[in-house]
Amino acid sequence: MIATIQESPLFPMVNPESVAFYGASNNFAAMGTNMLSSLLALGYPGRVYPIHPSEEEVRGLKAYKNVAELPEAPDLAVIVLPTRLVIQTMEECGKKGVKTAIVISAGFREKGEEGAAEEEKLLAVARKYGMRFLGPNCIGVTNLHKKLNTTFMRAEGRPGGVGFASQSGSFVTQMFDYLARFGSGFSTAFSVGNAADTDLVDVIEYLGACPDTKVIGMYVEGIRRGRDFVRVCREVSLKKPIVALYVGGSKTGSRAGLSHTGTLAGPDKLYDGIFRQAGVLRAKSVDELFDICRAFCTLPLPEGKAVAIQTHSGGPGTVAADACGRAGLSVPEFSAETSEALSPYVPHTGSCANPVDITYSKNPEDFFGSIPRVLLSDPGISMLLVYYLVPNSMVETPFKRLGLSGPEAEEAARGWLDKQADAISALVRESNKPVAGFTFRGIMEQFPQALMERGIPVFPGPERAVAALAGMVRYRKYRERLVKGLE
Amino acid sequence: MIATIQESPLFPMVNPESVAFYGASNNFAAMGTNMLSSLLALGYPGRVYPIHPSEEEVRGLKAYKNVAELPEAPDLAVIVLPTRLVIQTMEECGKKGVKTAIVISAGFREKGEEGAAEEEKLLAVARKYGMRFLGPNCIGVTNLHKKLNTTFMRAEGRPGGVGFASQSGSFVTQMFDYLARFGSGFSTAFSVGNAADTDLVDVIEYLGACPDTKVIGMYVEGIRRGRDFVRVCREVSLKKPIVALYVGGSKTGSRAGLSHTGTLAGPDKLYDGIFRQAGVLRAKSVDELFDICRAFCTLPLPEGKAVAIQTHSGGPGTVAADACGRAGLSVPEFSAETSEALSPYVPHTGSCANPVDITYSKNPEDFFGSIPRVLLSDPGISMLLVYYLVPNSMVETPFKRLGLSGPEAEEAARGWLDKQADAISALVRESNKPVAGFTFRGIMEQFPQALMERGIPVFPGPERAVAALAGMVRYRKYRERLVKGLE
């Protein structure tokens, strides 16, 4: 196991100071051009050398006829060429001393036997020169902390803590916007494609050492190096959680995966066993995968499985309580001290039991201050789950009644909501217990965004919030088991 | 069973021509005032009579000291008064000849024995005068088709086809915005509260006969009249699907429900049996409940369980295929004719198998025209599931390259996307097979909104889309079984 990313053979690929780019031109419809454009759009600060047989300049950069002409041996070559040109290009890169490559081009193992033979040749060339490469049939790497994005989609949002190892490029590119909407983002995401050389195991090892990565997500169609996978994941899991979406466990999923990346999948039970041994949390859906990752990015680990639920509506509180029970979390009754401490803040129509249901606020600021403070101080409570669904317009109304104009009331409401978000995020830090929110309104509204900016994950619906908290509890247990196993 | 809503004793409550309103005043902070404001904001066209002991006018309407003074016996009285005044008020309404009431006030059975005794008295008064009432401890009724909304939340969005019977008021009020974002909406939604008189069974009977209601959703904490429930649901299920979220099956859920509405819940297995017998589809989450309802609102019923998946990205296609397998749907291989017919539209990097993966479009219009037409013509295919994730900005780019200005390109992109939405919705009508979409981008973006406006439901994620389609297949089977049972 490596201790730092600098020790990883993937380091130059993920943190390159210079990149040779094959397949970009001044034709905007070409995939390679799109990929180079993404790299430039993100503001990649390193040196970029487009390689093109005829153009003098590509996207405003001086172009080179071939890699031999370059003034240096770049850290990385990105290859977006017709399949038949890939092996020869790799050979030329090797001769020049290029350290790593990303082979975007498809048409290898996923296309059957002939393609598999070509892939073997590609691997042999890379080995000959001591090069490591990603792909083929992938969309490359995104390291948002280093402004590196080799994919054809523009990166959106801020760099975040989610390291990602994916057997599908889509789950890199198509999650930029998704994660950004949740105020989260990738640290480094890899699309391994056919994984001829660099596979999930290599990537997990890298991400395990990556200081920007708080949690590792995986999209898995099938695992080839099972033993290495378990070994590396066990070690990494001690440091940070790994969460996987495995889609090869059904007949329909395994057949689709085979035609997608040529990966042979195995039955669900086998993979459940592998994941359990490896300390990897299995997610049930794409949303659950990223929901659990988001929770780990910003929240402290829960000490136990006891959840306090706080709501202003009975139904959503009851659904949350039911979801907790189904997910193996408890919703314990509060101590007499806690119930008593809550009573000044809860009107007689509400409930000081768990879920705490205020029905309406006597003093609206209690909801994000006094009540959560009481709940988080209860030593029998490990986590807090808060339901909040008040549109900005309802917060504005009282300000308007005080005589404020429309825009003034809007601003006052924004300020008030920001203050509530500050209050509850301060409580997470003080108590060192996780707090999550859920809503049925759009997560793009100001209040969920304000909470997520401050590290309080907000989920669209109670079941998703509960699944994320339950994921954290599962990880804590896994890790305790792994620690014991190593003793 | 009633054949028309006019036969239902609930008809005057849900379609009132006149309403007496207790508890509204000129104090904007009062719940009753908020409720009256919602009613007026929606543009309720009937006659409204605020009843107030001292005010001459409430919210611009002439107020009356008591119900006896009214110029007519209203169809409905809405009662938002302190608990101690409710029974006497019901008595006065009865004397006046008011036909129905909605008792918003809480403090009855959910508060223990004493409250239960008061609730019995309330019921006795209503029986004495032949009045039907909803509640107590509820937030009333929303009939968007009649511009009736007695809840404290402003109704949003258009009237839709989702009839709703809820043991939580929140799942009425807090779904206005939720459903509107999905281009869907309630027909009539009931919050039954403690259900002292009108309960879920009465409401289902009403909604079964309601011509605006395409599907009935339910939020259930516990069912009291089990036998009647099964009987009425079986009959209604023959005409339209019923979908239920039951939250009393776990210890945590049943305890929370008890404190919420005083309902005694039963174990999951018992309820699974009741729902199965009744022909009611059980949903696993709030999202699944409304996702299934949305699908039923606009799509034809599938003939079988075979899904064609169409994607431009391998990963999301594979996840969708895996989700189908887990949900009991099939993703069959295509006939030779279908594969051959697809081949002109799919580049060699793609796949003409199921999932059809175009990887990129040779001609982007094929994606919503030629390809779905081929897939829906295959007699072995019952449903089509389409993955689409292209931001407007990407659609705009080629128009900009053709020399259009920014706003021109935006408009051209909007026009192009609307045209694609028209194309695919025409195919649903032609083929009479359900088509659903999924995306990882925000559902508020233009293209998902354009599809949903045209009756193609779009889901945030493949698992949710598959659960909705699987719900339709389950209903078809249920109904076939029910039909046989009646023969």
Side-chain angles (χ1 to χ4, degrees):
Chain A
M1 283 291 290
I2 54 171
T4 67
I5 49 175
Q6 285 76 8
E7 296 167 48
S8 166
L10 305 183
F11 184 79
M13 182 193 289
V14 185
N15 307 270
E17 291 188 3
S18 50
V19 181
F21 215 103
Y22 288 91
S25 67
N26 294 310
N27 170 9
F28 285 98
M31 176 72 99
T33 309
N34 271 310
M35 290 178 140
L36 178 57
S37 298
S38 299
L39 184 70
L40 300 177
L42 193 56
Y44 170 67
R47 299 172 294 282
V48 183
Y49 306 108
I51 314 270
H52 195 279
S54 55
E55 301 280 2
E56 293 289 317
E57 225 183 67
V58 167
R59 304 285 286 109
L61 296 167
K62 175 175 162 51
Y64 294 81
K65 297 270 176 288
N66 56 61
V67 72
E69 285 180 13
L70 296 192
E72 64 177 316
D75 285 337
L76 169 66
V78 179
I79 302 173
V80 199
L81 292 173
T83 317
R84 66 181 191 285
L85 301 178
V86 170
I87 292 176
Q88 173 199 330
T89 302
M90 187 71 100
E91 181 85 41
E92 290 167 14
C93 287
K95 275 188 188 145
K96 177 71 180 184
V98 176
K99 295 183 192 73
T100 64
I102 294 174
V103 184
I104 307 289
S105 314
F108 291 89
R109 186 163 47 91
E110 83 283 6
K111 284 293 168 194
E113 265 179 47
E114 210 173 310
E118 288 298 295
E119 195 167 298
E120 285 303 316
K121 282 187 210 161
L122 180 66
L123 185 60
V125 171
R127 293 264 157 89
K128 184 167 73 178
Y129 294 103
M131 283 177 78
R132 296 300 300 262
F133 70 98
L134 195 67
N137 187 26
C138 75
I139 52 93
V141 164
T142 297
N143 177 355
L144 293 180
H145 293 272
K146 288 292 173 79
K147 295 185 187 300
L148 178 79
N149 175 23
T150 73
T151 80
F152 57 89
M153 285 284 264
R154 298 287 192 278
E156 291 172 77
R158 292 174 301 183
V162 182
F164 200 58
S166 182
Q167 285 179 311
S168 154
S170 305
F171 286 113
V172 176
T173 53
Q174 298 175 6
M175 292 299 140
F176 290 145
D177 164 71
Y178 178 98
L179 288 173
R181 277 184 285 128
F182 285 109
S184 190
F186 289 126
S187 52
T188 291
F190 295 82
S191 148
V192 300
N194 292 2
D197 176 34
T198 304
D199 66 4
L200 291 178
V201 178
D202 299 309
V203 168
I204 291 162
E205 191 171 24
Y206 176 89
L207 293 172
C210 170
D212 296 321
T213 298
K214 309 275 183 232
V215 52
I216 300 171
M218 272 196 283
Y219 167 80
V220 181
E221 295 187 352
I223 288 164
R224 271 177 272 165
R225 289 197 282 151
R227 200 166 293 189
D228 292 340
F229 178 84
V230 169
R231 178 182 51 78
V232 168
C233 287
R234 281 175 74 93
E235 292 192 37
V236 169
S237 288
L238 285 169
K239 289 190 287 184
K240 57 186 83 170
I242 309 177
V243 192
L245 178 68
Y246 173 59
V247 296
S250 67
K251 264 190 206 169
T252 48
S254 82
R255 190 159 52 77
L258 186 60
S259 109
H260 177 219
T261 47
T263 308
L264 281 170
D268 257 340
K269 277 201 178 161
L270 176 69
Y271 273 76
D272 276 339
I274 293 175
F275 290 140
R276 199 165 36 241
Q277 252 195 296
V280 171
L281 305 174
R282 186 168 175 187
K284 289 197 199 76
S285 67
V286 177
D287 285 329
E288 188 172 311
L289 171 65
F290 289 106
D291 284 347
I292 296 177
C293 286
R294 288 199 294 127
F296 279 121
C297 275
T298 56
L299 293 179
L301 269 189
E303 293 269 336
K305 62 176 189 172
V307 183
I309 299 171
Q310 180 185 334
T311 181
H312 52 73
S313 287
T318 305
V319 177
D322 186 52
C324 283
R326 291 174 195 285
L329 304 180
S330 69
V331 185
E333 301 198 38
F334 296 133
S335 65
E337 291 76 29
T338 297
S339 291
E340 200 174 314
L342 287 171
S343 65
Y345 312 115
V346 178
H348 81 283
T349 48
S351 166
C352 292
N354 193 5
V356 182
D357 181 0
I358 63 160
T359 63
Y360 69 91
S361 295
K362 290 176 166 179
N363 169 8
E365 308 211 344
D366 292 342
F367 197 75
F368 294 103
S370 314
I371 297 172
R373 183 182 303 275
V374 169
L375 296 173
L376 290 167
S377 318
D378 184 326
I381 291 302
S382 303
M383 291 168 276
L384 174 61
L385 178 56
V386 182
Y387 175 65
Y388 186 69
L389 189 147
V390 175
N392 281 37
S393 59
M394 272 181 77
V395 180
E396 287 161 23
T397 306
F399 289 110
K400 283 183 188 158
R401 287 192 191 129
L402 290 173
L404 270 60
S405 72
E408 285 168 347
E410 260 180 52
E411 197 175 318
R414 266 203 302 275
W416 188 84
L417 287 167
D418 276 344
K419 209 177 111 194
Q420 306 318 309
D422 284 337
I424 198 152
S425 72
L427 285 173
V428 176
R429 285 193 301 275
E430 266 173 49
S431 67
N432 202 34
K433 294 179 181 179
V435 174
F438 70 97
T439 181
F440 295 115
R441 294 192 71 88
I443 50 117
M444 295 310 289
E445 291 197 8
Q446 186 223 335
F447 192 58
Q449 288 290 320
L451 288 171
M452 291 189 289
E453 259 172 42
R454 288 161 178 79
I456 313 279
V458 178
F459 300 88
E463 301 88 355
R464 286 178 62 175
V466 167
L469 294 177
M472 299 189 90
V473 172
R474 272 154 71 204
Y475 172 62
R476 197 187 175 90
K477 280 191 205 154
Y478 273 140
R479 202 177 57 174
E480 280 167 10
R481 200 169 45 79
L482 285 176
V483 169
K484 280 182 198 153
L486 289 178
E487 277 170 2
Chain B
M1 283 290 289
I2 55 171
T4 66
I5 48 174
Q6 285 77 10
E7 295 167 49
S8 165
L10 304 184
F11 183 79
M13 182 194 289
V14 185
N15 309 268
E17 292 187 6
S18 49
V19 181
F21 215 104
Y22 287 90
S25 66
N26 294 310
N27 169 10
F28 285 99
M31 176 71 99
T33 309
N34 272 310
M35 291 178 141
L36 178 58
S37 300
S38 299
L39 184 72
L40 301 177
L42 192 57
Y44 171 67
R47 298 174 295 282
V48 183
Y49 305 109
I51 314 268
H52 195 279
S54 54
E55 300 278 359
E56 292 290 317
E57 225 183 66
V58 167
R59 303 285 289 111
L61 297 166
K62 176 176 164 45
Y64 295 80
K65 298 270 175 289
N66 56 61
V67 73
E69 285 179 13
L70 298 190
E72 62 176 317
D75 285 336
L76 170 64
V78 179
I79 301 172
V80 199
L81 293 174
T83 317
R84 67 180 192 285
L85 302 177
V86 171
I87 293 176
Q88 171 200 333
T89 303
M90 187 71 100
E91 182 86 39
E92 290 167 13
C93 286
K95 277 188 188 145
K96 176 72 180 182
V98 176
K99 296 185 192 72
T100 63
I102 294 175
V103 183
I104 307 291
S105 314
F108 292 88
R109 186 164 47 90
E110 83 284 6
K111 284 291 168 196
E113 265 179 49
E114 208 174 312
E118 287 300 293
E119 196 167 299
E120 284 304 314
K121 282 186 209 160
L122 180 66
L123 185 61
V125 171
R127 293 263 158 89
K128 182 167 75 177
Y129 293 103
M131 284 177 78
R132 295 301 300 262
F133 70 98
L134 196 66
N137 187 24
C138 75
I139 52 94
V141 163
T142 297
N143 177 354
L144 293 181
H145 293 272
K146 289 291 173 81
K147 297 186 186 296
L148 178 78
N149 176 22
T150 73
T151 80
F152 57 89
M153 285 283 265
R154 298 287 191 278
E156 291 173 77
R158 292 173 304 182
V162 182
F164 200 57
S166 182
Q167 285 180 310
S168 153
S170 306
F171 286 113
V172 177
T173 53
Q174 299 176 6
M175 292 299 141
F176 290 144
D177 163 73
Y178 178 98
L179 288 172
R181 277 183 285 129
F182 285 110
S184 191
F186 289 125
S187 52
T188 291
F190 295 82
S191 149
V192 299
N194 292 3
D197 175 35
T198 303
D199 66 3
L200 291 177
V201 178
D202 300 308
V203 168
I204 292 162
E205 191 171 25
Y206 176 90
L207 293 171
C210 170
D212 296 321
T213 298
K214 308 275 182 234
V215 54
I216 300 170
M218 270 194 286
Y219 168 79
V220 181
E221 294 186 353
I223 289 165
R224 270 177 273 166
R225 288 199 284 150
R227 201 166 291 190
D228 293 340
F229 179 83
V230 169
R231 177 181 53 77
V232 168
C233 288
R234 281 175 76 94
E235 291 191 38
V236 168
S237 289
L238 285 169
K239 291 190 285 182
K240 58 187 81 171
I242 309 176
V243 192
L245 177 67
Y246 173 59
V247 296
S250 66
K251 263 189 210 171
T252 48
S254 81
R255 191 160 50 81
L258 185 61
S259 108
H260 177 219
T261 49
T263 307
L264 279 170
D268 257 340
K269 276 201 178 160
L270 176 69
Y271 273 76
D272 277 339
I274 293 175
F275 290 141
R276 200 165 38 241
Q277 252 195 298
V280 170
L281 305 174
R282 185 167 176 187
K284 290 197 200 75
S285 66
V286 177
D287 285 330
E288 189 172 310
L289 171 66
F290 289 105
D291 285 346
I292 297 177
C293 286
R294 288 199 293 128
F296 278 121
C297 275
T298 56
L299 294 178
L301 268 190
E303 293 269 335
K305 62 176 189 172
V307 183
I309 298 170
Q310 180 185 334
T311 181
H312 52 72
S313 287
T318 305
V319 177
D322 185 52
C324 283
R326 290 175 196 284
L329 303 180
S330 69
V331 185
E333 300 199 37
F334 296 133
S335 64
E337 292 75 28
T338 295
S339 290
E340 202 173 311
L342 286 171
S343 64
Y345 311 116
V346 178
H348 80 283
T349 48
S351 166
C352 294
N354 194 5
V356 182
D357 181 2
I358 64 161
T359 63
Y360 69 91
S361 295
K362 290 175 166 180
N363 170 6
E365 307 210 344
D366 292 342
F367 197 76
F368 294 103
S370 314
I371 297 173
R373 184 180 302 276
V374 170
L375 296 173
L376 291 168
S377 317
D378 185 327
I381 291 302
S382 304
M383 291 168 276
L384 175 60
L385 179 55
V386 182
Y387 175 65
Y388 186 69
L389 190 147
V390 175
N392 281 38
S393 59
M394 273 181 79
V395 180
E396 287 161 24
T397 306
F399 289 111
K400 283 184 188 157
R401 285 190 193 130
L402 291 173
L404 269 60
S405 71
E408 285 167 348
E410 258 180 52
E411 195 174 321
R414 264 203 303 275
W416 187 85
L417 287 167
D418 276 344
K419 211 178 109 192
Q420 306 317 308
D422 284 337
I424 198 149
S425 71
L427 285 172
V428 176
R429 285 191 301 274
E430 267 174 47
S431 67
N432 202 33
K433 293 179 180 178
V435 174
F438 70 96
T439 181
F440 294 116
R441 293 192 70 89
I443 49 117
M444 294 311 288
E445 291 198 8
Q446 185 222 337
F447 193 59
Q449 287 291 318
L451 288 170
M452 291 189 288
E453 259 171 42
R454 287 161 179 79
I456 314 276
V458 178
F459 299 89
E463 300 88 355
R464 286 179 61 174
V466 167
L469 294 176
M472 299 189 89
V473 172
R474 273 155 69 204
Y475 172 62
R476 198 189 175 88
K477 280 190 204 153
Y478 272 140
R479 201 176 57 173
E480 280 166 10
R481 199 167 47 77
L482 286 177
V483 168
K484 280 183 197 151
L486 289 179
E487 278 171 2

